[in-house]
Amino acid sequence: MGKLWGGRFAGATDALAHRFNASLPFDVQLYDEDITGSVAWALTLGGAGILTADEVATIIGGLEQVRAEFQGNTIVFDQADEDIHTVVERRLTELVGPVGGKLHTGRSRNDQVATDFRLWTMRAVDRLQGHLAALQRALLASARANLELPMPGYTHLQHAQPVTWGHWALSHFWPLARDAGRLAAARAAAAVLPLGSGALAGTPVAVDRQALAAGLGFAAASQNSLDAVADRDFALDFLYAAAVLGVHLSRLAEQLILFSSAEFGFAVLDDAYTTGSSLMPQKKNPDTLELARGKAGRLIGHLAGLLATLKGLPSAYDKDLQEDKEPLFDAAETLELALPVMAGVVGTLRLRPERMAAQLEPGLLATELADYLVRRGVPFRQAHELVGQAVQLAETRQVTLADLSLADMQTISEQFEAGALDVFDVAAALAGRQVMGGTAPQALQQQLAAAEAAVD
Ligand code: ARG
């Protein structure tokens, strides 16, 4: 058997054109979904009285044999095979004879491939959710073990206010929780069955598409056959979820690269996730984290690429749509490696509390001093100005804010009194932020419990 569509052609396809046209090198990934969809279609044809019970049994037996050949890696491709659908049908017919040719009754590769690809996407989401939850659990474990460990908090990458390691670790947990929601939304978008749409106008076979949908694990059947064979919104939703997740992994990676540098030294990466230099014997490079950061680029690119592919397409199928698969395959493969690697990095991270403590300088408590003045009735704007002057004075003397004496402060304002010097206390600054979402111990306990509930 050659092409699935050879009848009306007198001349052969140019060899390069065949290669250009072929999707088999990548859509071979869809073999399991293709066979599952075909089994359901054979049953549907049986139900509609188009195939006899014997024919259905023969075809399904043959399809399962083809599936076993794929699983056992014994399937042999033919030069003329154009895509996965061709391979499955050709091999089926070789195995069961001409009855195999009845399977494609009332079906087109257009509704077939859309069905396969949606099934694949639903399964890919299920795999990714597992990997995502594992990374979330690694962050939770790090947060739980170091919930109240003080460290400097940064804005603009400058010392801002004290926070804790647990607070920081949870700040990377919640974006991932939202990613799980975005992936779930992409899965829901994929769970609409196109099969039965035929090439574009709908199959002439009397089929209960809702029942077919339910049998294949879809939530509903599509409403419009012209739309159904061209709709790749679910693929965009998946790529969007993947791109945002990639951005989140990149941000986490970037921060861990900084924290493990000699300058910060807050954390030490395990040898298992680092590499050396061929030239500099002392080097321990965070390559895995750099790749996690770098891979966000290709994930973003896949989304932008498919958006561009789709923007000019009229309704119903155009071959441009064959370009939909590689970006999703690559996005899923990229994340299926990046997520467990990041979970490993986080799970093996060794913290250095003494390095964090060394960075907890009094400047991080300047806001506390302003709040002290506010408690004494000074308007915040004025308090901010006065503490700013104190910071400047300390800077000119090349001492820390806490090294100023009360007399020094009083040259700036009479409002500074004895209690002013008590504000330079990191634990008190942390404890003061009891608001929901804040960095006080009890607020963090509550946040941790909420995070644990979110991942279960
Ligand atoms: N390989 C094709 C794809 O991935 C299958 C659908 C082909 N349909 C067609 N009318 N040529 O899109």
Coordinates of all heavy atoms in Angstrom, one line a residue, residues 62-155:
G62 N -6.5 -6.6 15.3 CA -5.4 -6.2 14.5 C -4.7 -4.9 15.1 O -3.5 -4.8 15.1
L63 N -5.6 -4.0 15.5 CA -5.1 -2.7 16.0 C -4.3 -3.0 17.3 O -3.2 -2.4 17.5 CB -6.2 -1.8 16.4 CG -6.9 -1.1 15.1 CD1 -8.2 -0.4 15.6 CD2 -6.0 0.0 14.5
E64 N -4.7 -3.9 18.1 CA -4.0 -4.2 19.3 C -2.6 -4.9 19.0 O -1.7 -4.7 19.7 CB -4.8 -5.1 20.3 CG -6.0 -4.4 20.9 CD -5.7 -3.1 21.6 OE1 -4.5 -2.8 22.0 OE2 -6.6 -2.3 21.9
Q65 N -2.6 -5.6 17.9 CA -1.4 -6.2 17.5 C -0.4 -5.1 17.0 O 0.8 -5.2 17.3 CB -1.6 -7.2 16.3 CG -0.8 -8.5 16.4 CD -1.3 -9.4 15.3 OE1 -2.5 -9.6 15.0 NE2 -0.3 -10.0 14.6
V66 N -0.9 -4.1 16.3 CA -0.1 -3.0 15.9 C 0.4 -2.3 17.1 O 1.6 -1.9 17.2 CB -0.9 -2.0 15.0 CG1 0.0 -0.9 14.5 CG2 -1.4 -2.8 13.7
R67 N -0.4 -2.1 18.1 CA 0.0 -1.4 19.3 C 1.1 -2.2 20.0 O 2.1 -1.6 20.4 CB -1.2 -1.2 20.3 CG -0.8 -0.3 21.4 CD -1.8 -0.1 22.5 NE -3.2 -0.3 22.3 CZ -4.1 0.7 22.4 NH1 -3.8 2.0 22.6 NH2 -5.4 0.4 22.2
A68 N 1.0 -3.5 20.0 CA 2.0 -4.3 20.6 C 3.4 -4.2 19.8 O 4.5 -4.2 20.4 CB 1.6 -5.8 20.7
E69 N 3.3 -4.1 18.5 CA 4.5 -3.9 17.7 C 5.2 -2.6 18.0 O 6.4 -2.5 18.1 CB 4.2 -4.0 16.2 CG 3.8 -5.4 15.8 CD 3.6 -5.6 14.3 OE1 3.9 -4.6 13.5 OE2 3.2 -6.7 13.9
F70 N 4.4 -1.5 18.2 CA 5.0 -0.2 18.6 C 5.6 -0.4 20.0 O 6.8 0.1 20.2 CB 3.9 0.9 18.6 CG 3.7 1.6 17.3 CD1 2.6 1.3 16.5 CD2 4.7 2.5 16.9 CE1 2.5 1.9 15.3 CE2 4.5 3.2 15.7 CZ 3.4 2.9 14.9
Q71 N 4.9 -1.0 20.9 CA 5.4 -1.1 22.3 C 6.7 -1.9 22.3 O 7.6 -1.6 23.1 CB 4.3 -1.7 23.2 CG 3.3 -0.6 23.6 CD 2.0 -1.2 24.2 OE1 1.8 -2.5 24.2 NE2 1.1 -0.4 24.7
G72 N 6.7 -3.0 21.5 CA 7.9 -3.9 21.5 C 9.0 -3.4 20.5 O 10.0 -4.1 20.3
N73 N 8.7 -2.2 19.9 CA 9.7 -1.6 19.0 C 10.0 -2.5 17.8 O 11.1 -2.5 17.3 CB 11.0 -1.4 19.8 CG 11.4 0.1 19.7 OD1 11.1 0.7 18.7 ND2 12.0 0.5 20.8
T74 N 9.0 -3.3 17.4 CA 9.3 -4.2 16.2 C 8.5 -3.6 15.0 O 8.6 -4.2 13.9 CB 8.8 -5.6 16.5 OG1 7.4 -5.6 16.8 CG2 9.5 -6.2 17.7
I75 N 7.8 -2.6 15.1 CA 7.1 -2.0 14.0 C 8.1 -1.6 12.9 O 9.2 -1.0 13.2 CB 6.2 -0.8 14.4 CG1 5.3 -0.3 13.2 CG2 7.0 0.4 14.9 CD1 4.0 -1.1 13.2
V76 N 7.8 -1.8 11.7 CA 8.7 -1.5 10.6 C 8.0 -0.4 9.7 O 6.9 -0.6 9.3 CB 9.1 -2.7 9.7 CG1 10.0 -2.3 8.6 CG2 9.7 -3.8 10.6
F77 N 8.7 0.7 9.5 CA 8.1 1.7 8.6 C 8.4 1.5 7.2 O 9.5 0.9 6.8 CB 8.7 3.1 9.0 CG 8.3 3.5 10.4 CD1 9.1 4.4 11.2 CD2 7.1 3.1 11.0 CE1 8.7 4.8 12.4 CE2 6.7 3.5 12.2 CZ 7.5 4.3 13.0
D78 N 7.5 1.9 6.3 CA 7.7 1.8 4.9 C 8.1 3.2 4.4 O 7.6 4.2 5.0 CB 6.3 1.4 4.3 CG 6.4 1.2 2.8 OD1 6.6 2.1 2.0 OD2 6.2 0.0 2.4
Q79 N 8.9 3.2 3.4 CA 9.3 4.5 2.8 C 8.1 5.4 2.5 O 8.3 6.6 2.6 CB 10.0 4.2 1.4 CG 11.5 4.2 1.4 CD 11.9 4.8 0.1 OE1 11.6 6.0 -0.1 NE2 12.7 4.1 -0.7
A80 N 7.0 4.8 2.0 CA 5.9 5.6 1.6 C 5.0 6.1 2.7 O 4.2 7.0 2.5 CB 5.0 4.8 0.6
D81 N 5.3 5.7 4.0 CA 4.5 6.1 5.1 C 4.7 7.6 5.3 O 5.8 8.1 5.4 CB 5.0 5.4 6.4 CG 4.6 3.9 6.4 OD1 3.7 3.5 5.7 OD2 5.3 3.2 7.1
E82 N 3.5 8.2 5.4 CA 3.5 9.7 5.5 C 3.4 10.2 6.9 O 4.0 11.2 7.3 CB 2.4 10.1 4.6 CG 2.0 11.6 4.5 CD 0.9 11.8 3.5 OE1 0.8 11.1 2.5 OE2 0.1 12.7 3.8
D83 N 2.5 9.6 7.6 CA 2.3 10.0 9.0 C 1.9 8.8 9.8 O 1.8 7.7 9.3 CB 1.3 11.1 9.1 CG 0.0 10.8 8.4 OD1 -0.4 9.6 8.3 OD2 -0.7 11.7 8.0
I84 N 1.7 9.0 11.1 CA 1.3 7.9 12.0 C 0.0 7.2 11.6 O -0.1 6.0 11.7 CB 1.3 8.4 13.5 CG1 1.1 7.2 14.4 CG2 0.2 9.4 13.7 CD1 2.2 6.2 14.4
H85 N -0.9 8.0 11.1 CA -2.2 7.4 10.7 C -2.0 6.4 9.5 O -2.7 5.4 9.5 CB -3.2 8.5 10.3 CG -3.0 9.7 11.1 ND1 -3.3 9.7 12.5 CD2 -2.6 11.0 10.8 CE1 -3.0 11.0 12.9 NE2 -2.6 11.7 11.9
T86 N -1.1 6.8 8.6 CA -0.8 5.9 7.5 C -0.2 4.6 8.0 O -0.6 3.5 7.5 CB 0.2 6.6 6.5 OG1 -0.2 7.9 6.3 CG2 0.2 5.9 5.2
V87 N 0.8 4.7 8.9 CA 1.5 3.5 9.4 C 0.5 2.6 10.0 O 0.5 1.4 9.7 CB 2.6 3.9 10.4 CG1 3.2 2.6 10.9 CG2 3.6 4.8 9.8
V88 N -0.4 3.1 10.9 CA -1.3 2.2 11.6 C -2.2 1.5 10.7 O -2.4 0.3 10.8 CB -2.0 3.0 12.7 CG1 -3.1 2.2 13.4 CG2 -1.1 3.5 13.8
E89 N -2.8 2.3 9.7 CA -3.7 1.6 8.8 C -3.1 0.6 7.9 O -3.6 -0.4 7.6 CB -4.5 2.7 8.0 CG -5.7 2.2 7.3 CD -6.5 3.2 6.5 OE1 -6.6 4.4 7.0 OE2 -6.9 2.9 5.4
R90 N -1.9 1.0 7.4 CA -1.1 0.1 6.5 C -0.8 -1.2 7.2 O -1.1 -2.3 6.7 CB 0.2 0.7 6.0 CG 1.1 -0.3 5.3 CD 2.5 0.3 4.9 NE 3.2 0.8 6.0 CZ 3.9 0.0 6.9 NH1 3.8 -1.3 6.8 NH2 4.6 0.5 7.9
R91 N -0.3 -1.1 8.4 CA 0.1 -2.3 9.1 C -1.1 -3.1 9.5 O -1.1 -4.4 9.4 CB 0.9 -1.9 10.4 CG 1.5 -3.1 11.2 CD 2.5 -3.8 10.3 NE 2.9 -5.1 11.0 CZ 3.1 -6.2 10.4 NH1 2.9 -6.3 9.1 NH2 3.4 -7.3 11.1
L92 N -2.2 -2.4 9.9 CA -3.5 -3.1 10.2 C -3.9 -4.0 9.0 O -4.3 -5.2 9.2 CB -4.5 -2.1 10.6 CG -6.0 -2.7 10.7 CD1 -6.1 -3.6 11.9 CD2 -7.0 -1.5 10.8
T93 N -3.9 -3.4 7.8 CA -4.4 -4.1 6.6 C -3.4 -5.2 6.3 O -3.9 -6.3 5.8 CB -4.5 -3.1 5.5 OG1 -5.3 -2.0 6.0 CG2 -5.2 -3.7 4.3
E94 N -2.1 -5.0 6.5 CA -1.2 -6.2 6.3 C -1.6 -7.3 7.2 O -1.5 -8.5 6.8 CB 0.3 -5.7 6.6 CG 0.9 -4.9 5.5 CD 2.2 -4.2 5.9 OE1 2.7 -4.6 7.0 OE2 2.7 -3.4 5.2
L95 N -2.0 -7.0 8.4 CA -2.2 -8.0 9.4 C -3.6 -8.7 9.2 O -3.7 -9.9 9.4 CB -2.1 -7.5 10.8 CG -0.7 -7.1 11.3 CD1 -0.8 -6.3 12.6 CD2 0.1 -8.4 11.5
V96 N -4.6 -7.9 8.9 CA -6.0 -8.5 8.9 C -6.6 -8.6 7.5 O -7.7 -9.1 7.3 CB -7.0 -7.7 9.8 CG1 -6.4 -7.7 11.2 CG2 -7.2 -6.3 9.3
G97 N -5.9 -8.0 6.5 CA -6.4 -8.1 5.1 C -7.3 -6.9 4.8 O -7.4 -6.0 5.6
P98 N -8.0 -7.0 3.7 CA -8.8 -5.9 3.1 C -9.8 -5.3 4.1 O -10.2 -4.1 4.0 CB -9.5 -6.4 1.9 CG -8.6 -7.6 1.5 CD -8.0 -8.2 2.8
V99 N -10.3 -6.1 5.1 CA -11.3 -5.6 6.0 C -10.7 -4.4 6.8 O -11.4 -3.5 7.2 CB -11.8 -6.7 7.0 CG1 -10.7 -7.1 7.9 CG2 -13.0 -6.2 7.8
G100 N -9.4 -4.3 6.9 CA -8.7 -3.2 7.6 C -9.1 -1.9 6.9 O -9.1 -0.8 7.5
G101 N -9.3 -2.0 5.6 CA -9.6 -0.8 4.8 C -11.0 -0.2 5.1 O -11.3 0.9 4.7
K102 N -11.8 -1.0 5.9 CA -13.1 -0.4 6.3 C -13.1 0.5 7.5 O -14.0 1.2 7.7 CB -14.1 -1.6 6.6 CG -14.4 -2.5 5.4 CD -15.6 -3.4 5.7 CE -16.0 -4.2 4.5 NZ -17.2 -5.0 4.7
L103 N -12.0 0.5 8.2 CA -11.9 1.3 9.4 C -12.1 2.8 9.2 O -12.6 3.5 10.0 CB -10.5 1.0 10.1 CG -10.2 1.9 11.3 CD1 -11.2 1.7 12.4 CD2 -8.7 1.7 11.8
H104 N -11.6 3.2 8.0 CA -11.6 4.7 7.8 C -12.9 5.2 7.3 O -13.0 6.4 7.0 CB -10.4 5.1 6.8 CG -9.9 6.5 7.1 ND1 -9.4 6.9 8.3 CD2 -9.7 7.5 6.2 CE1 -9.0 8.1 8.2 NE2 -9.1 8.5 7.0
T105 N -13.9 4.3 7.2 CA -15.3 4.7 6.8 C -15.8 5.9 7.6 O -15.8 5.9 8.8 CB -16.3 3.6 7.0 OG1 -15.7 2.4 6.3 CG2 -17.6 3.9 6.3
G106 N -16.2 7.0 6.9 CA -16.8 8.1 7.6 C -15.9 8.9 8.5 O -16.3 9.7 9.3
R107 N -14.6 8.7 8.3 CA -13.6 9.4 9.1 C -12.6 10.0 8.2 O -12.4 9.6 7.1 CB -12.9 8.4 10.1 CG -12.0 9.0 11.1 CD -11.4 8.0 12.0 NE -10.4 7.1 11.3 CZ -9.6 6.2 12.0 NH1 -9.6 6.2 13.3 NH2 -8.8 5.5 11.3
S108 N -12.0 11.1 8.7 CA -10.9 11.8 7.9 C -9.7 11.8 8.8 O -9.8 11.8 10.1 CB -11.4 13.2 7.6 OG -10.3 14.0 7.3
R109 N -8.5 12.0 8.2 CA -7.4 12.2 9.1 C -7.5 13.6 9.8 O -6.8 13.8 10.8 CB -6.1 12.2 8.3 CG -5.6 10.8 8.0 CD -4.2 10.8 7.3 NE -4.4 11.4 6.0 CZ -3.4 11.9 5.2 NH1 -2.1 11.8 5.7 NH2 -3.6 12.4 4.1
N110 N -8.4 14.4 9.3 CA -8.6 15.7 9.9 C -9.2 15.6 11.3 O -8.7 16.2 12.3 CB -9.4 16.7 9.1 CG -8.7 16.9 7.7 OD1 -7.6 16.5 7.5 ND2 -9.4 17.5 6.8
D111 N -10.3 14.9 11.4 CA -10.9 14.7 12.8 C -10.1 13.7 13.6 O -10.0 13.8 14.8 CB -12.4 14.3 12.8 CG -12.7 13.1 11.9 OD1 -11.9 12.6 11.2 OD2 -13.9 12.6 12.0
Q112 N -9.4 12.8 12.9 CA -8.6 11.8 13.5 C -7.4 12.4 14.3 O -7.1 12.2 15.4 CB -8.1 10.7 12.5 CG -7.3 9.6 13.1 CD -6.9 8.6 12.0 OE1 -7.1 8.8 10.8 NE2 -6.2 7.6 12.3
V113 N -6.6 13.2 13.5 CA -5.4 13.8 14.1 C -5.8 14.8 15.2 O -5.1 14.8 16.3 CB -4.5 14.5 13.1 CG1 -5.1 15.8 12.6 CG2 -3.1 14.7 13.6
A114 N -6.9 15.5 15.1 CA -7.3 16.4 16.1 C -7.6 15.7 17.4 O -7.3 16.1 18.5 CB -8.4 17.3 15.7
T115 N -8.3 14.5 17.2 CA -8.6 13.7 18.4 C -7.4 13.1 19.0 O -7.2 13.2 20.3 CB -9.5 12.5 17.9 OG1 -10.7 13.0 17.3 CG2 -9.9 11.6 19.0
D116 N -6.5 12.6 18.2 CA -5.2 12.0 18.8 C -4.5 13.1 19.6 O -4.0 12.8 20.7 CB -4.3 11.6 17.6 CG -4.8 10.4 16.8 OD1 -5.9 10.0 17.1 OD2 -4.1 10.0 15.9
F117 N -4.4 14.2 19.0 CA -3.5 15.3 19.6 C -4.1 15.8 20.9 O -3.4 16.1 21.9 CB -3.4 16.4 18.6 CG -2.3 17.4 18.9 CD1 -1.1 17.0 19.6 CD2 -2.4 18.7 18.4 CE1 -0.1 17.9 19.8 CE2 -1.4 19.6 18.7 CZ -0.2 19.2 19.4
R118 N -5.5 15.9 20.9 CA -6.1 16.3 22.2 C -5.9 15.2 23.3 O -5.6 15.6 24.4 CB -7.6 16.5 21.9 CG -7.9 17.8 21.2 CD -9.3 17.9 20.8 NE -9.6 19.2 20.1 CZ -10.1 20.3 20.8 NH1 -10.3 20.3 22.0 NH2 -10.3 21.4 20.1
L119 N -6.1 14.0 22.9 CA -5.8 12.9 23.9 C -4.4 13.0 24.4 O -4.1 12.8 25.6 CB -6.0 11.5 23.2 CG -7.3 10.8 23.3 CD1 -7.3 9.5 22.6 CD2 -7.7 10.6 24.8
W120 N -3.5 13.2 23.5 CA -2.0 13.3 23.9 C -1.9 14.5 24.9 O -1.2 14.3 25.9 CB -1.2 13.5 22.6 CG 0.3 13.6 23.0 CD1 1.2 12.6 23.1 CD2 1.0 14.8 23.4 NE1 2.4 13.1 23.5 CE2 2.3 14.4 23.7 CE3 0.6 16.1 23.5 CZ2 3.3 15.4 24.1 CZ3 1.5 17.1 23.9 CH2 2.9 16.7 24.2
T121 N -2.5 15.6 24.6 CA -2.3 16.8 25.4 C -2.9 16.5 26.8 O -2.3 16.9 27.8 CB -3.0 18.0 24.8 OG1 -2.5 18.2 23.5 CG2 -2.9 19.2 25.6
M122 N -4.1 15.8 26.9 CA -4.6 15.5 28.2 C -3.7 14.6 29.0 O -3.5 14.8 30.2 CB -6.0 14.8 28.0 CG -7.1 15.7 27.5 SD -8.4 14.9 26.5 CE -9.2 14.0 27.7
R123 N -3.1 13.6 28.3 CA -2.1 12.8 29.0 C -0.9 13.5 29.4 O -0.3 13.3 30.5 CB -1.8 11.6 28.1 CG -2.9 10.6 27.9 CD -2.5 9.5 26.9 NE -3.5 8.5 26.7 CZ -3.4 7.4 25.9 NH1 -2.2 7.3 25.3 NH2 -4.3 6.6 25.8
A124 N -0.4 14.4 28.6 CA 0.8 15.2 28.9 C 0.6 16.0 30.1 O 1.4 16.1 31.0 CB 1.2 16.0 27.7
V125 N -0.6 16.6 30.2 CA -0.9 17.4 31.4 C -0.9 16.6 32.6 O -0.3 16.9 33.6 CB -2.3 18.1 31.2 CG1 -2.7 18.7 32.6 CG2 -2.2 19.2 30.2
D126 N -1.5 15.4 32.5 CA -1.5 14.5 33.7 C 0.0 14.1 34.2 O 0.2 14.1 35.4 CB -2.3 13.2 33.4 CG -3.7 13.5 33.2 OD1 -4.2 14.6 33.6 OD2 -4.4 12.7 32.6
R127 N 0.8 13.9 33.2 CA 2.2 13.6 33.6 C 2.9 14.8 34.2 O 3.6 14.7 35.3 CB 3.1 13.2 32.4 CG 2.7 11.8 31.8 CD 3.8 11.4 30.8 NE 4.0 12.3 29.7 CZ 3.4 12.4 28.6 NH1 2.4 11.5 28.4 NH2 3.7 13.2 27.6
L128 N 2.7 16.0 33.6 CA 3.3 17.2 34.1 C 2.8 17.6 35.5 O 3.6 18.1 36.3 CB 3.1 18.4 33.1 CG 3.9 18.3 31.8 CD1 3.6 19.5 30.9 CD2 5.4 18.3 32.1
Q129 N 1.5 17.4 35.7 CA 1.0 17.7 37.1 C 1.7 16.9 38.2 O 2.0 17.5 39.2 CB -0.5 17.4 37.2 CG -1.4 18.3 36.3 CD -1.6 19.7 36.8 OE1 -0.8 20.2 37.6 NE2 -2.7 20.3 36.3
G130 N 2.1 15.7 37.9 CA 2.8 14.9 38.9 C 4.2 15.5 39.1 O 4.6 15.6 40.3
H131 N 4.9 15.8 38.1 CA 6.2 16.4 38.2 C 6.2 17.8 38.9 O 7.0 18.1 39.7 CB 6.9 16.6 36.8 CG 7.3 15.3 36.2 ND1 8.1 14.4 36.7 CD2 6.9 14.8 34.9 CE1 8.3 13.4 35.9 NE2 7.5 13.6 34.8
L132 N 5.1 18.5 38.6 CA 5.0 19.9 39.2 C 4.7 19.7 40.7 O 5.4 20.4 41.5 CB 3.8 20.6 38.5 CG 3.5 22.0 38.9 CD1 4.7 22.9 38.6 CD2 2.3 22.5 38.0
A133 N 3.9 18.8 41.1 CA 3.6 18.6 42.5 C 4.8 18.2 43.2 O 5.1 18.6 44.4 CB 2.5 17.6 42.7
A134 N 5.7 17.4 42.6 CA 6.9 16.9 43.3 C 7.8 18.1 43.5 O 8.5 18.2 44.6 CB 7.6 15.9 42.4
L135 N 7.9 19.1 42.6 CA 8.7 20.3 42.8 C 8.1 21.1 43.9 O 8.8 21.6 44.8 CB 8.9 21.1 41.5 CG 9.6 22.4 41.7 CD1 11.0 22.3 42.3 CD2 9.7 23.2 40.3
Q136 N 6.8 21.2 43.9 CA 6.1 22.0 45.0 C 6.4 21.4 46.3 O 6.6 22.1 47.3 CB 4.6 22.0 44.7 CG 4.2 22.9 43.6 CD 2.7 22.9 43.4 OE1 2.2 22.0 42.8 NE2 2.0 23.9 43.8
R137 N 6.4 20.0 46.4 CA 6.7 19.4 47.7 C 8.1 19.6 48.1 O 8.4 19.7 49.3 CB 6.4 17.9 47.6 CG 4.9 17.6 47.5 CD 4.5 16.2 47.9 NE 3.1 16.0 47.7 CZ 2.6 15.5 46.5 NH1 3.4 15.2 45.5 NH2 1.3 15.4 46.3
A138 N 9.0 19.7 47.2 CA 10.4 20.0 47.6 C 10.5 21.4 48.2 O 11.2 21.6 49.2 CB 11.3 19.8 46.3
L139 N 9.8 22.3 47.6 CA 9.9 23.7 48.1 C 9.2 23.7 49.5 O 9.7 24.4 50.4 CB 9.2 24.6 47.1 CG 10.0 25.0 45.9 CD1 9.1 25.7 44.9 CD2 11.1 26.0 46.3
L140 N 8.1 22.9 49.6 CA 7.4 22.9 50.9 C 8.3 22.3 52.0 O 8.4 22.8 53.1 CB 6.2 22.0 50.8 CG 4.9 22.6 50.3 CD1 3.8 21.5 50.3 CD2 4.5 23.8 51.1
A141 N 9.1 21.3 51.7 CA 10.0 20.7 52.6 C 11.0 21.6 53.1 O 11.4 21.8 54.3 CB 10.6 19.4 52.1
S142 N 11.6 22.4 52.1 CA 12.6 23.4 52.4 C 12.0 24.5 53.3 O 12.6 24.9 54.3 CB 13.2 24.0 51.1 OG 14.2 24.9 51.4
A143 N 10.8 24.9 53.0 CA 10.1 25.9 53.8 C 9.8 25.5 55.2 O 10.1 26.2 56.2 CB 8.8 26.4 53.1
R144 N 9.3 24.2 55.3 CA 9.0 23.7 56.6 C 10.2 23.6 57.5 O 10.2 23.9 58.7 CB 8.3 22.3 56.4 CG 7.5 21.8 57.6 CD 7.0 20.4 57.3 NE 6.1 20.3 56.1 CZ 6.3 19.6 55.0 NH1 7.5 18.8 55.0 NH2 5.5 19.5 54.0
A145 N 11.3 23.1 56.9 CA 12.5 22.9 57.7 C 13.2 24.2 58.1 O 14.0 24.2 59.1 CB 13.5 22.0 57.0
N146 N 12.9 25.3 57.4 CA 13.6 26.6 57.7 C 12.6 27.7 57.8 O 12.9 28.8 57.3 CB 14.6 26.8 56.6 CG 15.6 25.6 56.4 OD1 16.5 25.5 57.2 ND2 15.3 24.8 55.4
L147 N 11.4 27.4 58.3 CA 10.3 28.4 58.2 C 10.7 29.7 58.8 O 10.4 30.7 58.3 CB 9.1 27.8 58.9 CG 7.8 28.4 58.6 CD1 7.5 28.3 57.1 CD2 6.6 27.9 59.4
E148 N 11.4 29.7 60.0 CA 11.7 30.9 60.7 C 13.1 31.4 60.6 O 13.6 32.2 61.3 CB 11.2 30.8 62.1 CG 9.7 30.5 62.3 CD 9.3 30.3 63.7 OE1 10.0 30.8 64.6 OE2 8.2 29.7 63.9
L149 N 13.9 30.8 59.7 CA 15.3 31.1 59.5 C 15.4 32.5 58.9 O 15.0 32.7 57.7 CB 16.0 30.1 58.6 CG 17.4 30.4 58.2 CD1 18.3 30.5 59.4 CD2 17.9 29.3 57.2
P150 N 15.9 33.5 59.6 CA 15.9 34.9 59.1 C 16.9 35.0 57.9 O 18.0 34.5 58.0 CB 16.4 35.7 60.3 CG 16.4 34.8 61.4 CD 16.5 33.4 60.9
M151 N 16.6 35.8 57.0 CA 17.5 36.2 55.9 C 17.1 37.6 55.4 O 16.0 38.0 55.7 CB 17.4 35.2 54.7 CG 16.0 35.2 54.0 SD 16.0 33.9 52.7 CE 16.3 35.0 51.3
P152 N 18.0 38.2 54.7 CA 17.6 39.5 54.1 C 16.6 39.4 53.0 O 16.7 38.4 52.2 CB 18.9 40.1 53.5 CG 20.0 39.1 53.9 CD 19.4 37.8 54.3
G153 N 15.6 40.2 53.0 CA 14.7 40.3 51.8 C 15.1 41.4 50.9 O 15.7 42.4 51.4
Y154 N 14.9 41.2 49.6 CA 15.4 42.2 48.6 C 14.3 42.8 47.8 O 13.3 42.1 47.5 CB 16.4 41.5 47.7 CG 17.6 40.9 48.3 CD1 17.5 39.6 49.0 CD2 18.8 41.6 48.4 CE1 18.6 39.1 49.6 CE2 19.9 41.0 49.1 CZ 19.7 39.8 49.7 OH 20.8 39.2 50.3
T155 N 14.4 44.0 47.5 CA 13.7 44.6 46.3 C 14.8 45.3 45.5 O 15.7 45.8 46.1 CB 12.6 45.6 46.7 OG1 13.2 46.7 47.4 CG2 11.6 45.0 47.7

